[in-house]
Amino acid sequence: MPLGIVVRRAPGVTRWVTHVWKAVAVLPGAGEAAWKELRRDGEVVEYHAATLPLELFRTDTEAYLHGLSAKIPSIYVVMRESDSDQPLDVVLVTASPYEAQDYADTGEELVEKVAMPEGLIAWIRDYIALHHEDEVFIKRRRDKSRIDLKEDGIGDARIRQTSDVYRAPSAKEVVH
């Protein structure tokens, strides 16, 4: 499903940060756009920055369930600094909080959490109902074989030893 990403530019609060960028909304089924200005209120400007496809995968249904069970179900928008004339590159939009966490852990991307519209929640819930399979938990059992009975590598075979290698050396014993 194509999702339009709405990004807000607000003035920074320090002299080192001139602008603060934040993804504030998604537009399900939006057409193509490239930093089209939607609204201006003083120095705060909202742009339809990009339209990206939201792809859902059968193997990630557990992550989508986790995202929908949150207090506010959210879509995650991943952005990074741009090398072109655009202020930011919108890289990815995902419904998986696990995938968003992976991008946030790198520290190179800006990951924003945006509340899901009701229609998008229903669409993802239908997808989960169609494809989700609960994994059965299987507890592993230990092997009964004892591996601590084998005594490989005790001492060095090249050094002659007159006593037990586990005993602490005494001052009286002299080894030549």
Side-chain angles (χ1 to χ4, degrees):
M1 171 183 290
L3 283 182
I5 311 301
V6 178
V7 177
R8 178 182 296 149
R9 183 188 76 187
V13 293
T14 67
R15 63 180 170 176
W16 295 279
V17 179
T18 57
H19 299 291
V20 176
W21 296 94
K22 182 171 177 61
V24 293
V26 291
L27 308 170
E32 290 297 319
W35 292 95
K36 179 181 175 186
E37 186 174 321
L38 297 176
R39 181 177 14 192
R40 181 179 292 269
D41 183 19
E43 292 185 45
V44 178
V45 183
E46 289 185 355
Y47 297 96
H48 181 179
T51 300
L52 296 175
L54 173 64
E55 295 180 274
L56 301 180
F57 301 97
R58 288 183 205 170
T59 56
D60 292 342
T61 55
E62 181 183 347
Y64 305 146
L65 271 173
H66 182 78
L68 288 179
S69 67
K71 188 174 183 179
I72 300 173
S74 300
I75 288 291
Y76 300 89
V77 179
V78 180
M79 301 177 285
R80 67 172 60 120
E81 290 184 18
S82 177
D83 295 335
S84 64
D85 58 342
Q86 299 173 346
L88 294 171
D89 286 334
V90 182
V91 179
L92 175 75
V93 61
T94 182
S96 170
Y98 303 161
E99 185 176 12
Q101 182 65 45
D102 290 342
Y103 278 97
D105 285 346
T106 66
E108 295 178 11
E109 287 88 9
L110 176 64
V111 180
E112 293 288 339
K113 190 175 177 179
V114 178
M116 261 190 230
E118 290 296 324
L120 194 55
I121 292 172
W123 185 69
I124 293 173
R125 191 170 284 144
D126 290 344
Y127 183 86
I128 292 169
L130 186 64
H131 296 288
H132 182 66
E133 295 176 10
D134 285 326
E135 290 184 28
V136 178
F137 177 75
I138 300 172
K139 185 174 181 176
R140 296 185 315 153
R141 297 185 183 234
R142 290 186 181 196
D143 277 343
K144 299 295 181 187
S145 62
R146 301 230 2 223
I147 61 169
D148 60 334
L149 299 176
K150 196 172 181 182
E151 295 185 356
D152 284 344
I154 294 180
D156 192 343
R158 296 171 291 178
I159 300 174
R160 185 174 53 131
Q161 299 185 0
T162 59
S163 64
D164 186 8
V165 294
Y166 292 115
R167 186 177 55 79
S170 66
K172 295 178 186 175
E173 186 178 320
V174 178
V175 179
H176 299 297

